[in-house]
Amino acid sequence: MRQKPTVLAREIVASSRLFRVEEVQLRFSNGVERTYERLVGRGTGYGAVMIVAMIDTEHAILVEEYCGGTDEYEVSLPKGLIEPGEDVLAAAERELKEEAGYGARQLEHLTELSLSPGYMSQKIQVVLATELYEARLEGDEPEPMRVDRVNLRELSTLVQNPQFSEGRALAALYLVRDLLTQRGVFQP
């Protein structure tokens, strides 16, 4: 196991309503010193959740929403922040109801993924939701989200969709496809 670098100094060098840029001065075990910048969430630090909601044994739900980062309408998995005092599975259930209009009788935490660990501290919890039923909660989205679906057999086609670009969502879909195949639920 490699020795982590020694932190010599930390300083917030920029801040907005959503993010802070933290400058971190490090000394590595070989004596080399470097300054890194990283994007640090400004929220409460409870994290986020992404849901692979299976409408049946081969189709996952996708939602379309406007994404400020790309300035485009994007298609992805339902996701959102975990509220204070809320556990991962409760957050997944709430976000699924708010964004897609479904609840789930079965929820399973699968893994944690990062987006760009070289410069971002944020991570997201991936949850598998099955045995869906219609249920809607009012969310904080500025407009209704269009709900779509993807066949797990067609993930290579999904990546050609110009509205689908989120790598974490693609990784989660492949993970679920492999998991359901191993369990004998999905036949590729």
Side-chain angles (χ1 to χ4, degrees), residues 120-153:
M120 292 178 72
S121 64
Q122 290 86 359
K123 294 184 179 182
I124 199 161
Q125 306 303 314
V126 178
V127 172
L128 172 61
T130 56
E131 298 181 33
L132 303 186
Y133 59 92
E134 290 188 25
R136 180 160 301 282
L137 286 176
E138 187 71 27
D140 60 358
E141 290 75 21
E143 61 186 358
M145 298 172 90
R146 184 176 62 84
V147 178
D148 203 351
R149 60 176 66 180
V150 62
N151 190 314
L152 295 182
R153 290 185 182 91

Side-chain angles (χ1 to χ4, degrees), residues 49-115:
V49 63
M50 173 180 282
I51 307 100
V52 181
M54 299 300 298
I55 195 79
D56 56 36
T57 58
E58 59 186 62
H59 293 92
I61 290 176
L62 299 175
V63 293
E64 179 189 60
E65 70 178 316
Y66 176 77
C67 296
T70 60
D71 188 29
E72 299 288 344
Y73 280 89
E74 299 263 346
V75 175
S76 189
L77 295 171
K79 60 188 163 300
L81 295 177
I82 299 171
E83 300 292 335
E86 191 176 44
D87 73 16
V88 170
L89 298 182
E93 175 84 356
R94 178 183 49 76
E95 287 292 341
L96 185 58
K97 288 177 180 177
E98 289 176 2
E99 295 192 357
Y102 287 95
R105 289 182 184 86
Q106 294 290 323
L107 294 161
E108 179 182 355
H109 181 256
L110 299 181
T111 193
E112 178 179 80
L113 296 174
S114 61
L115 181 59

